[in-house]
Amino acid sequence: MRRSTDRLLALAMLIVGIACFAKLYPVLGGRPLATARLEIFGVAGVLSVLAGLLFLAGLLPAAAGHDPAAPLFGRDAEIAPAGHPRLRRAALALPLLALLVIVADQFGPWRTEESGSEPAKDVAIAPTEPAPRSSEPKPEPEASAKPTSPEASAKPAAPAPAQEMAAKPAPPAEPVAAPVQPAPTAAAPAESAPPEPAQPAQPVQPTEQTALAPATPPQTVAPPPPAPPAQPTAPQGHRDAVVWLAVSPDGHEIMSASTDRMIKLWDIDGKRLIRDLGEHKDMARSALFMPDGKTALTAGDDGEIVLRQLSDATVLHVFSSGANGGVRQLKISQDGKLAVSGHDTGSVVVWDLKKGTVAHVLPGHDWSVSSVAISPDGTRALTGSIDGELKLWDIVSGKQLRNWHGHDRGAYGAVFLADGHHAVTGSGDHTIKLWDLDSFKEVRRFEGHSGTVYALALSSDGKRLGSVSLDGTARVWNMDTGAEIAEFDPGTGPIYSVAFAADGTLLTGGIDRTIRDWPAAGGDGKVLFPGAPE
């Protein structure tokens, strides 16, 4: 019977102890509790739980009477433990004391002092006219976040390489956001996220100090930022972000691909749309002129690579990537014999364009391929993925020559130099790197962008490098020194595509749906081909 009573007492003590700790829980949630009360509840809770556990374990012997397990006769009955009544009474007093503290806390006179929404001392020192808090830009989530991207939506608001993969989790190193060759899903970030609207100041409890506050409260919301300048539009323009630009061999035409799935052919000299070359079933990613100047090869997320005739947009051949998935990047060898495509599954496929067949399906990358480049002699290819890994391939034999971790985040816009022994890559780590492909060492680093460097282009003489970024800027670099020559900022958001025109000016396309032309040495650009009205 005594042990049953002890168990009930132990249970009661544990309940009281837990109640004391429950009073301490608001402290963990950020709501301050007076230091003295914190200590009282902490000590009472610990002692109550300790006493309860001792009773439960039977470590406090019975105070009086015979223990049910003790012998009732014989010599052993004479030496049965008599217990420690004082220790037992002290253990019983602990939970009672804790219970009294809780009751006093709930119904004591100090409860009135805390009934307000703000502590009395905070109200006393609060200013009579709280100043509004200015709008703060949302911080970039690194690795995960990745900003929304064209691949994630037909009309991206702020793409980020971090959302590259739809079927795979984001790789540990990737975060952040972009369109055509975006980074891992996660991730990422949005690098171009708009600032949070200003939040109104917290209300202050009316006291004697606030009696002199003006009748009209001050403005607590920051005025909206000025609207960007209106952009020209044209019905024949792209309806969504321009994610690819290519200049024809003769320098007179531009081909563009967009998240609106359309491929368009433009006349640079006449500043007009020549024709729509066709539409992919999903986002269009790449559009390349064939060396003959009469045909073009386009690719998109629908997994199709289409050979089209420029004169009338006739489809001549369709290459299907099948289980390899959507085509994220496509490049053609200078002689027009081979093409290399990188896919969202990580596969790299080498196509024999003359035979219309697959030459090699390479095991590729663990993550989506985000960049492809072919050497000038057409024998090797450099590919990069959204986890920052780079691979060099012999595309004639289909063998991997080398792989290395080139960037902390996704690798984008790979381009070979004319010597075939060097290449440049952009990245979600905001850098551009020049690589020696014989030693696989970094030769030079181009720094200045504050967002993912999404696409790169070399001038015809190989002396200048053009780059565009999710930070909304385009830049021109000196290839020999790594110095920045010019920076262009249209103020319209992320820029996804870049190419050099025949006259050396820089062409860019971005989220604003337009194609712009920038002077080679710097200065104000102009809208060459406006986007369609929204």
Side-chain angles (χ1 to χ4, degrees), residues 207-429:
T207 66
E208 294 180 0
Q209 285 78 6
T210 60
L212 300 179
T216 302
Q219 182 179 1
T220 57
V221 178
Q231 300 297 320
T233 60
Q236 69 271 22
H238 280 294
R239 301 186 307 276
D240 215 327
V242 179
V243 296
W244 188 274
L245 290 174
V247 178
S248 63
D250 62 12
H252 296 300
E253 297 171 345
I254 298 175
M255 191 160 43
S256 59
S258 168
T259 57
D260 65 8
R261 304 185 297 181
M262 293 298 300
I263 307 293
K264 292 179 179 285
L265 183 65
W266 308 87
D267 179 359
I268 297 179
D269 302 324
K271 295 180 175 55
R272 65 182 182 88
L273 175 69
I274 298 175
R275 67 181 53 86
D276 288 336
L277 284 179
E279 183 177 11
H280 278 270
K281 300 181 183 70
D282 204 338
M283 171 181 168
R285 293 275 185 169
S286 304
L288 302 164
F289 287 97
M290 292 290 288
D292 60 12
K294 298 178 180 180
T295 55
L297 203 62
T298 69
D301 279 357
D302 55 9
E304 293 184 346
I305 300 173
V306 183
L307 182 65
R308 307 175 187 271
Q309 192 161 284
L310 293 174
S311 59
D312 57 7
T314 299
V315 173
L316 304 177
H317 190 80
V318 176
F319 302 84
S320 177
S321 59
N324 293 298
V327 182
R328 294 300 170 92
Q329 275 278 289
L330 177 69
K331 291 294 175 63
I332 304 171
S333 62
Q334 290 186 4
D335 59 11
K337 294 180 179 180
L338 297 176
V340 177
S341 56
H343 299 262
D344 55 15
T345 59
S347 296
V348 175
V349 181
V350 181
W351 304 88
D352 187 326
L353 298 180
K354 298 301 180 183
K355 297 180 181 178
T357 60
V358 173
H360 305 287
V361 176
L362 308 176
H365 296 263
D366 294 331
W367 301 94
S368 176
V369 177
S370 51
S371 58
V372 174
I374 299 180
S375 62
D377 62 5
T379 62
R380 293 177 299 161
L382 177 67
T383 60
S385 68
I386 59 175
D387 61 356
E389 184 181 45
L390 297 171
K391 290 178 180 284
L392 186 65
W393 308 90
D394 182 331
I395 57 175
V396 177
S397 64
K399 294 181 179 179
Q400 179 178 297
L401 301 176
R402 182 68 178 264
N403 74 288
W404 71 102
H405 194 79
H407 292 278
D408 293 333
R409 296 188 180 179
Y412 302 95
V415 179
F416 267 92
L417 272 61
D419 63 9
H421 296 280
H422 294 83
V424 286
T425 55
S427 174
D429 60 18

Side-chain angles (χ1 to χ4, degrees), residues 433-453:
K433 295 182 180 181
L434 172 63
W435 302 97
D436 183 331
L437 298 181
D438 295 327
S439 64
F440 300 98
K441 303 282 188 182
E442 179 184 330
V443 176
R444 186 171 297 118
R445 185 174 297 194
F446 305 78
E447 295 181 304
H449 281 294
S450 59
T452 295
V453 180

Side-chain angles (χ1 to χ4, degrees), residues 8-22 48-49 52 95 102:
L8 291 176
L9 287 173
L11 180 60
M13 293 174 188
L14 291 174
I15 292 173
V16 172
I18 291 171
C20 291
F21 287 127
S48 297
V49 172
I102 294 176

